[in-house]
């Protein structure tokens, strides 16, 4: 499968958008580890329709004008369990949070909290697949591939209050 990419500036740093003919494959962070999402990003293609639309929708989101994304997604990486967790993320509404335990129950594996956390950490489509909306059961912000500061920015943008950074 051939992928293409483009980069965009955002309030949380430069993002690399990766797409295929079927949809958006990944949104990667500026300092993302190549081991987190194992894909070939392919050549740069600034005019790829899926990537142009993704950038437009992300810019609207960052400007506070969009609460729901409508770009087609193409999950090409991950195990069936990881993909199940990533699809469950899509059901967390704008401005709301869920705990890792909530997500584990939602996917029918209530005792797989750590596995859900690990799958969440490998989510290839950050922001649109809103892994930033998953917090610790204590209400603290824990783990985020883009960094906890970026997670806090995204949650504040969505009007979420009452969560604290986990500095432990």
């Amino acid at each position: 499968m051939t992928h293409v990419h483009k980069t965009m500036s955002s309030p949380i740093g430069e993002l690399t958008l990766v797409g295929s003919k079927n949809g958006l494959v990944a949104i990667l962070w500026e300092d993302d580890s190549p081991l987190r999402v194992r894909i070939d990003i392919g050549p740069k293609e600034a005019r790829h329709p899926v990537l142009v639309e993704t950038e437009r929708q992300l810019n609207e989101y960052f400007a506070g004008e969009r609460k729901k994304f409508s770009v087609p997604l193409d999950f090409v990486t991950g195990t069936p369990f990881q993909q199940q967790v990533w699809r469950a993320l899509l059901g967390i509404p704008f401005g709301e949070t869920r705990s890792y335990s909530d997500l584990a129950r939602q996917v029918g594996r209530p005792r797989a909290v750590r596995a859900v956390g690990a799958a969440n950490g490998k989510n290839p489509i950050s922001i649109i697949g809103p892994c930033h909306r998953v917090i610790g059961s204590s209400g603290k912000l824990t783990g985020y591939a883009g960094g906890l500061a970026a997670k806090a920015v995204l949650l504040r943008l969505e009007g979420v209050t009452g969560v604290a950074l986990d500095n432990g």
Side-chain angles (χ1 to χ4, degrees):
M1 166 132 327
T2 304
H3 299 135
V4 295
H5 77 279
K6 75 177 302 224
T7 56
M8 69 172 280
S9 296
S10 83
I12 50 177
E14 184 174 272
L15 302 173
T16 299
L17 313 178
V18 183
S20 71
K21 65 179 169 70
N22 299 320
L24 181 67
V25 171
I27 298 175
L28 304 174
W29 301 98
E30 195 165 345
D31 297 319
D32 222 332
S33 165
L35 300 177
R36 188 180 75 81
V37 177
R38 295 173 185 237
I39 57 167
D40 176 9
I41 66 170
K44 195 165 199 162
E45 179 55 63
R47 294 191 308 259
H48 187 277
V50 168
L51 302 182
V52 169
E53 181 60 17
T54 299
E55 181 175 24
R56 184 183 73 76
Q57 289 188 25
L58 283 169
N59 282 329
E60 289 173 354
Y61 169 80
F62 291 128
E65 300 164 359
R66 175 174 288 275
K67 294 182 178 183
K68 207 164 171 57
F69 295 95
S70 61
V71 294
L73 305 179
D74 187 11
F75 289 110
V76 299
T77 65
T79 66
F81 175 74
Q82 288 172 326
Q83 289 189 13
Q84 182 184 20
V85 171
W86 301 336
R87 290 186 199 298
L89 291 171
L90 298 171
I92 304 173
F94 179 94
E96 294 185 21
T97 59
R98 299 289 185 272
S99 70
Y100 293 98
S101 295
D102 293 336
L103 207 52
R105 281 191 298 277
Q106 184 179 338
V107 300
R109 304 273 303 274
R111 295 172 58 178
V113 176
R114 287 185 187 271
V116 163
N120 200 52
K122 295 210 178 269
N123 172 26
I125 304 176
S126 302
I127 306 167
I128 291 177
C131 46
H132 61 278
R133 296 178 189 155
V134 182
I135 61 173
S137 56
S138 66
K140 290 187 177 183
L141 298 186
T142 58
Y144 192 60
L148 292 182
K151 187 171 189 169
V153 167
L154 294 172
L155 290 173
R156 274 196 306 274
L157 182 109
E158 295 186 16
V160 174
T161 58
V163 293
L165 290 176
D166 183 3
N167 294 323

